[in-house]
Amino acid sequence: MIQPLIVKDKMKIGILGLGLIGGSLGFDLKSQGHYVLGVSRRESTCKKAMEIGSVDQAATELSLLSTAEIVFICTPIGLIVPQVEKLISHIPKTTIITDVGSVKTPIVQGISPLWKNFVGGHPMAGNTDVGIDAAQRNLFVDRPYVITPADNTPSHAIKILEEIVRSIGSIIYHCSPEKHDRAVSWISHLPVIVSASLVAACLDESDTEIFQLAQNFASSGFRDTSRVGAGNPELGVMMAQYNRQALINSLHQYRHNLDHFISLIEQENWEMLTEQLKLNQQSRPRFL
C-alpha cells in the first residue's frame, strides 16, 4: 500500500558540516521556521553557528541528529560516505539523508546500499570562501539544485527534499548521478583546473621585472579568470579525485580547443579567430 505523502510545514532538520554550504543552508531553513540541528568537528564552529543564528542547536556529537527527520551531509566530498556510515547508528530508519557533494556517482553508489532513504543532491551555489564565517543568507535563491536519486530511491523521500529545496528558492533539476558528473565536469570542475593552470603559468615567468609588472597590472580580467583556481585546494583535489574520468575527458577536449586557438594565432588567421570569438560571445549566455 502506498503511503500518503506528508510534508510538514515545520521540520526538525540536521546539518552535518557547518561550513559555507551547511551554514548558509541553516540560515535559510531557519528562516522557513524549521528547527535546525548542526554538527561540526570543532566546538568553536558549533558555538559560532549558534551565535550567528545559523542553527538552533549545535554539537560535535552525531547523536544530536538522532531526532532529525532529514539530515543534510555538508562535509567535503571524501568525508560524506564515511560520515554517513557513522551517522546511521544514531538515527531511525525513517530519517531521510541527503548530501550536497559536487560529485554524485561514488556517493550515491556508496550510500544507497547502506540507507534506503538516501537522496543525492548538489546545490550549484557557493564561492571560494570556506568555513562558518562565509555562510550567508539566500545563497541558494535562483540557483540550480540537482537531485540525483537512484532507481530504488523512495518517492516520498524525493518529494520531501524537493519541497525543502523549493522553499529556499532553488531551481530543481533531476538527472542520474552519472550524467550529473559529466555535466559538472564541464562547467564546474574543468574551470577549476583551467583557472589553476592559468595561475601556475603566470608563476612560471622567469623574468623578475616582467613578473612584478604582471602582478602590478593584474585587474578585473585576471581576478575573474583566476578566482576558482585559487580557491580551497582540498575541494579542487577532491573534485579531481572523485570525478576523475569525466574531468580527464573534459581536459582533453579543452586541450584540443586550446591547440586550435594556438594554431589560428600562429597562422595569423584573424578571420577564423574572429568567427570563433563571435560564436563564443553568442553562446556564453546560454550557460548563465
Side-chain angles (χ1 to χ4, degrees):
M1 178 178 178
I2 298 175
Q3 296 295 320
L5 175 65
I6 301 176
V7 180
K8 300 179 186 176
D9 289 336
K10 312 303 176 191
M11 301 180 69
K12 188 173 281 190
I13 300 177
I15 299 175
L16 176 51
L18 297 173
L20 166 64
I21 299 298
S24 300
L25 189 59
F27 277 135
D28 292 351
L29 293 174
K30 280 194 64 179
S31 74
Q32 297 296 317
H34 301 296
Y35 192 84
V36 179
L37 304 165
V39 171
S40 175
R41 290 177 293 177
R42 297 184 179 88
E43 185 65 44
S44 59
T45 301
C46 295
K47 182 180 178 181
K48 180 71 174 182
M50 288 189 289
E51 285 177 351
I52 64 177
S54 174
V55 298
D56 293 289
Q57 282 183 262
T60 57
E61 297 83 16
L62 289 171
S63 58
L64 179 69
L65 304 177
S66 62
T67 59
E69 297 161 89
I70 180 169
V71 177
F72 287 80
I73 312 296
C74 301
T75 66
I77 300 169
L79 297 178
I80 292 175
V81 175
Q83 287 291 349
V84 168
E85 290 173 342
K86 295 177 182 178
L87 172 67
I88 58 179
S89 64
H90 296 277
I91 57 177
K93 294 189 180 299
T94 54
T95 302
I96 298 168
I97 299 177
T98 187
D99 77 299
V100 300
S102 66
V103 179
K104 296 269 62 84
T105 303
I107 291 172
V108 173
Q109 290 178 346
I111 299 177
S112 291
L114 301 175
W115 200 252
K116 179 181 178 182
N117 288 314
F118 172 72
V119 188
H122 179 205
M124 302 294 295
N127 52 54
T128 54
D129 296 328
V130 296
I132 188 63
D133 290 321
Q136 56 187 276
R137 291 171 172 80
N138 302 315
L139 179 67
F140 310 100
V141 173
D142 294 331
R143 305 305 305 161
Y145 198 115
V146 188
I147 297 176
T148 61
D151 292 338
N152 60 346
T153 303
S155 59
H156 80 275
I158 298 171
K159 293 295 184 183
I160 289 174
L161 179 59
E162 286 176 340
E163 288 295 320
I164 293 173
V165 168
R166 194 173 289 114
S167 75
I168 62 175
S170 293
I171 303 168
I172 298 174
Y173 292 90
H174 292 83
C175 69
S176 69
E178 295 78 12
K179 289 181 178 179
H180 165 277
D181 292 350
R182 288 178 60 187
V184 298
S185 74
W186 286 114
I187 50 82
S188 181
H189 301 170
L190 175 63
V192 169
I193 303 302
V194 170
S195 177
S197 67
L198 166 65
V199 177
C202 293
L203 294 176
D204 283 342
E205 173 56 61
S206 58
D207 187 315
T208 55
E209 181 181 3
I210 299 300
F211 183 74
Q212 186 60 58
L213 287 171
Q215 288 183 314
N216 294 341
F217 296 165
S219 188
S220 58
F222 185 79
R223 181 179 63 243
D224 293 344
T225 53
S226 64
R227 181 182 65 82
V228 294
N232 185 351
E234 182 182 21
L235 292 178
V237 171
M238 287 190 177
M239 287 176 184
Q241 181 180 354
Y242 289 93
N243 201 22
R244 177 177 172 271
Q245 192 55 56
L247 178 56
I248 287 174
N249 293 342
S250 298
L251 281 166
H252 280 306
Q253 186 59 43
Y254 173 76
R255 183 166 62 184
H256 172 74
N257 282 269
L258 184 60
D259 287 341
H260 175 62
F261 275 96
I262 291 172
S263 176
L264 292 178
I265 295 170
E266 286 179 338
Q267 298 170 17
E268 299 185 17
N269 191 340
W270 311 128
E271 182 179 354
M272 184 67 74
L273 180 60
T274 299
E275 290 303 312
Q276 183 65 65
L277 294 176
K278 282 182 178 180
L279 176 62
N280 292 354
Q281 183 184 51
Q282 294 166 1
S283 302
R284 181 175 180 268
R286 293 158 55 189
F287 290 87
L288 298 170

